[in-house]
Amino acid sequence: MEREPIGVVGAGWVGLVTSACFAELGHEVWARDIVPEKVESLSRGEVPIHEPGLSELVRKNAERLHFTTEMPDVLSHAQLLFVCVDTPPTYSGDADLSRVEAVMRELGDSDEHALVMKSTVPVGTGRSVQRRRDSLGYVSNPEFLQEGSAVADFMNPDRVVVGANGGSEEYADRVAAMYAPLGGEIVRTDVASAEMIKLASNAFLATKISFINEIANVSEELGADVSEVARGMGLDNRIGPKFLQAGVGFGGSCFPKDVLALKQLAGNSGYHFQLLTAVVEVNELQKRRTIGKLQKHLGSLAGKEVALLGVAFKPDTDDIREATSLVLAGRLAGEGASVRAYDPVAGAKAEDMLAGARIADSALEAIDGADGVVLVTEWPEFRELDWTGEVKRRMRVPLVVDGRNFLDREELVEAGFTYEGIGR
Ligand code: UGA
């Protein structure tokens, strides 16, 4: 079957995954980014981000992937333009839509193209675009990919959401057809509902995490073990086992931003979204709780050496946006501790971001002489460390705060470590 050529605007993480996966499905893809160096390296088949399977897909489909800095290249080859630009929060908590606006300016008054919005935008964005440009096709097609498994998520979606109003239904049919080979359920709806599905899904998952983190905190007081509690809860079909992992709080470029965006949108419309206010507050406190766990055993942290294992906001990514490690490094420095951090892939990115911390070249180097280790990101290699031998020998005080309940507690305790987990 003939697959239609598409344009992708913005070759960041979402745009690249979208480009590579649609190329894999047989589409010619014209992907545009404004950063010339990025376009050059992508054209050579070099992918600038760490995302499992992405480099392979880009190289495999090089013939169908055309990277360019020029919008006219894209417009002359494709009608459907998948918009994958950043929409970061502004100081007020609203979304900054200037990059979406820029795309619209570049389109001029073309009525032969349709925007397929993958960027996360406030509910109402589609309506306001269409009010200004009623001849422009507009489809809302939010993404639900997770960093670290984005390629697999794209290829095996739980669902694909395609929202359109009135005159854009024909474009929505074409977008839906593109996803049909993947087999996930396609949710056809209106634009505002599609926009809301995206924000509400992320806000709900963030709520689930803050909820289990609070259960963890109470469990510590009452002698329950949150891992057991989550296992028992998760077997209820209505609850489900996912996103019930207690830890050091959620980070990343999506949950913190989208929870705030939805709270802000509600507020702007006159509704105070109380639950989300609490979700954010619980998360901020959760990020800081670790400090108290160190103090409980070390007293004042002034002059103490603390090792952070993991900097990325979760494993399998080099993304450190809103990562708990950033808050911890800042807080520890504030307490006068000296911090060494190690991450298998995000170390270089963290160099300028981790307040006063030194980035070590290996986990053992970070741990050397430490008064306490905090496991921040559950990279598998941290489990493989020789905890009871080499690690213990190198530490000044054998204290481990396992921020992800990831390590073998019994083994550590038996070997003489002081072990602090989350909610156990
Ligand atoms: C999230 C959503 O899961 C995706 O569906 C969505 O497409 C994406 O945001 C987005 O809007 O672009 P992502 O930010 O990549 O994906 O990461 P998640 O795997 O969802 O994890 C987010 C944070 O929650 C991480 O810091 C993780 O450590 C934390 N988390 C997750 C927990 O603390 N406990 C859990 O049980 C699950």
Side-chain angles (χ1 to χ4, degrees):
M1 191 177 103
E2 184 75 5
R3 303 236 179 260
E4 76 169 298
I6 59 160
V8 173
V9 187
W13 176 77
V14 174
L16 264 181
V17 173
T18 303
S19 299
C21 290
F22 277 134
E24 172 75 6
L25 291 179
H27 297 267
E28 290 285 321
V29 178
W30 296 81
R32 184 277 187 121
D33 201 280
I34 51 173
V35 181
E37 299 76 42
K38 192 192 268 182
V39 169
E40 276 162 31
S41 67
L42 284 168
S43 301
R44 288 194 302 270
E46 289 160 23
V47 174
I49 52 172
H50 179 89
E51 183 62 43
L54 185 57
S55 294
E56 291 80 349
L57 225 48
V58 167
R59 280 197 289 271
K60 179 174 167 212
N61 294 289
E63 275 183 12
R64 280 194 286 271
L65 281 167
H66 314 278
F67 295 102
T68 173
T69 51
E70 303 304 314
M71 194 67 162
D73 278 352
V74 178
L75 298 181
S76 63
H77 286 97
Q79 280 194 312
L80 295 178
L81 306 175
F82 287 77
V83 180
C84 305
V85 296
D86 270 16
T87 53
T90 60
Y91 283 113
S92 64
D94 295 272
D96 175 1
L97 293 178
S98 56
R99 293 179 184 90
V100 175
E101 299 283 342
V103 174
M104 285 182 61
R105 279 197 299 280
E106 286 180 298
L107 264 180
D109 47 18
S110 159
D111 51 14
E112 285 163 20
H113 294 93
L115 296 183
V116 184
M117 190 57 70
K118 284 201 94 55
S119 299
T120 302
V121 292
V123 181
T125 302
R127 203 168 32 209
S128 97
V129 168
Q130 285 183 303
R131 217 178 276 132
R132 278 153 50 199
R133 289 282 312 282
D134 57 359
S135 61
L136 181 67
Y138 190 97
V139 178
S140 169
N141 174 220
E143 59 89 10
F144 299 100
L145 312 175
Q146 299 170 78
E147 287 187 27
S149 59
V151 171
D153 290 346
F154 188 101
M155 293 299 185
N156 308 289
D158 286 347
R159 79 318 203 174
V160 173
V161 174
V162 178
N165 298 336
S168 293
E169 292 292 350
E170 182 257 335
Y171 289 116
D173 291 342
R174 281 159 61 182
V175 172
M178 290 177 64
Y179 286 99
L182 302 176
E185 176 154 353
I186 298 193
V187 181
R188 287 290 293 267
T189 183
D190 61 281
V191 171
S193 302
E195 291 166 339
M196 183 61 104
I197 289 171
K198 166 69 191 190
L199 287 178
S201 299
N202 272 2
F204 185 80
L205 292 170
T207 304
K208 217 172 163 188
I209 298 170
S210 274
F211 181 84
I212 201 68
N213 281 337
E214 290 218 282
I215 294 292
N217 299 343
V218 181
S219 293
E220 282 172 14
E221 299 305 320
L222 302 182
D225 180 334
V226 73
S227 312
E228 295 296 300
V229 177
R231 185 162 66 93
M233 286 171 65
L235 287 169
D236 185 325
N237 255 328
R238 295 166 302 175
I239 297 174
K242 295 188 180 156
F243 282 71
L244 281 183
Q245 175 68 47
V248 287
F250 58 78
S253 62
C254 304
F255 283 179
K257 167 174 86 96
D258 291 348
V259 170
L260 284 178
L262 182 51
K263 185 166 114 61
Q264 179 78 11
L265 268 176
N268 293 349
S269 75
Y271 182 77
H272 177 50
F273 206 140
Q274 292 201 48
L275 190 54
L276 293 186
T277 306
V279 168
V280 172
E281 195 179 302
V282 168
N283 197 49
E284 285 312 310
L285 292 173
Q286 196 70 15
K287 288 183 175 183
R288 287 166 170 73
R289 255 177 91 81
T290 308
I291 305 291
K293 293 190 170 172
L294 289 168
Q295 285 165 330
K296 180 170 141 197
H297 299 284
L298 298 173
S300 163
L301 298 179
K304 300 279 161 48
E305 308 249 346
V306 178
L308 299 182
L309 292 188
V311 171
F313 83 98
K314 65 174 193 179
D316 265 330
T317 174
D318 59 354
D319 196 339
I320 58 171
R321 285 177 286 180
E322 303 283 333
T324 297
S325 58
L326 304 178
V327 173
L328 281 178
R331 212 54 286 292
L332 285 165
E335 294 293 327
S338 106
V339 179
R340 279 189 305 267
Y342 169 72
D343 191 286
V345 303
K349 277 200 174 167
E351 203 84 53
D352 303 327
M353 298 280 290
L354 278 189
R358 206 159 62 69
I359 305 295
D361 290 328
S362 69
L364 285 177
E365 187 192 324
I367 284 166
D368 206 47
D371 297 291
V373 168
V374 183
L375 186 135
V376 189
T377 317
E378 64 277 36
W379 284 101
E381 70 168 71
F382 295 150
R383 217 182 236 154
E384 308 306 322
L385 289 171
D386 177 17
W387 284 94
T388 56
E390 185 74 12
V391 173
K392 177 131 188 280
R393 265 197 303 281
R394 288 198 184 213
M395 290 188 71
R396 194 153 61 196
V397 180
L399 167 63
V400 175
V401 180
D402 181 359
R404 301 285 182 178
N405 292 341
F406 184 63
L407 302 172
D408 187 335
R409 171 176 53 170
E410 261 131 57
E411 183 193 43
L412 289 174
V413 171
E414 224 163 82
F417 277 89
T418 304
Y419 176 95
E420 284 278 348
I422 307 287
R424 45 203 328 215

